[in-house]
Amino acid sequence: MTLRFLDLDAFKATPLTREPFEFLTVPGFLNAEACAEINRDYPKIAESGSYPVAQLAFGPAFQTFLDELASDEFRAAFAEKFDADLTGRPHTITVRGRCSPRDGRIHTDTKSKILTILIYMNPEWEHSGGRLRLLKSNAGLDDPIMEVPPAAGTLLAFKRSDNSWHGHKPFEGERRVIQFNWVTSEGDRRIAMLRHHLSAAVKRLLGKAPEQPYA
């Protein structure tokens, strides 16, 4: 598959940090032109929380972007970088458009997730809140390994572990991010998607969102 949007060469050239858990960040994983096209076709999301792509309406550029994330080339690059066997592993994709002040609590991700990939789509980010922090422990947000502004085209990826702590300071407003995960089994994929579908239905019914871990 010819990739139109994803810069896998930049990803492959970025060294992997291995301690205290495996992660990397790639500013410019999507270039400015790609971000503009994808953002024009980005789903319109009025509430905070993560939404499965099956519940969203979006344009053709966003669909092309999703197809590239699901490609063999994308899988192979991440399998090699993280030395992870992703053969036959299913994936999930969820999308966020807005952030609630209750989002961002510290956590490590569920054990069913193998790799977490976050791609941010905000044209600029001047706010002090909403910047994802990779953390040395769950003691608090003030001793980070690094902080990642959710600026357009930035990719953050990490291997889930019992100490892959992360979270962010509160922010309320538009905050666009796509989350991609490879998970351990089809059963885990179905459970994750069912949870997101039910959460989205509740949010639409009540017009508000429950607390979300991050993204």
Side-chain angles (χ1 to χ4, degrees), residues 105-140:
R105 63 181 175 83
I106 298 170
H107 71 297
T108 61
D109 278 1
T110 60
K111 290 186 176 181
S112 63
K113 294 179 179 179
I114 302 170
L115 297 178
T116 291
I117 297 99
L118 302 171
I119 301 175
Y120 296 104
M121 296 301 299
N122 308 285
E124 58 184 20
W125 198 265
E126 302 297 332
H127 312 283
S128 60
R131 297 167 179 254
L132 193 68
R133 293 184 175 185
L134 304 182
L135 303 167
K136 298 174 184 176
S137 72
N138 63 345

Side-chain angles (χ1 to χ4, degrees), residues 47 51 198-208:
E47 302 293 338
Y51 290 83
L198 291 174
S199 177
V202 170
K203 284 178 269 188
R204 288 184 173 123
L205 179 65
L206 299 178
K208 61 181 180 179

Side-chain angles (χ1 to χ4, degrees), residues 54-131:
Q55 290 195 343
L56 299 170
F58 43 80
F62 195 84
Q63 182 61 62
T64 297
F65 171 56
L66 296 179
D67 292 343
E68 292 186 9
L69 293 178
S71 69
D72 291 340
E73 291 83 355
F74 188 74
R75 179 190 297 267
F78 278 80
E80 180 177 1
K81 178 68 74 173
F82 284 90
D83 191 23
D85 184 3
L86 300 177
T87 306
R89 299 293 192 182
H91 68 264
T92 63
I93 306 178
T94 56
V95 183
R96 285 174 173 260
R98 296 191 65 80
C99 189
S100 159
R102 295 178 296 171
D103 294 341
R105 63 181 175 83
I106 298 170
H107 71 297
T108 61
D109 278 1
T110 60
K111 290 186 176 181
S112 63
K113 294 179 179 179
I114 302 170
L115 297 178
T116 291
I117 297 99
L118 302 171
I119 301 175
Y120 296 104
M121 296 301 299
N122 308 285
E124 58 184 20
W125 198 265
E126 302 297 332
H127 312 283
S128 60
R131 297 167 179 254

Side-chain angles (χ1 to χ4, degrees), residues 11 16 18 22-24 77-84 115 157-159:
F11 170 80
L16 184 68
R18 298 188 180 277
E22 295 182 16
F23 69 88
L24 59 76
F78 278 80
E80 180 177 1
K81 178 68 74 173
F82 284 90
D83 191 23
L115 297 178
F158 61 88
K159 182 180 284 188

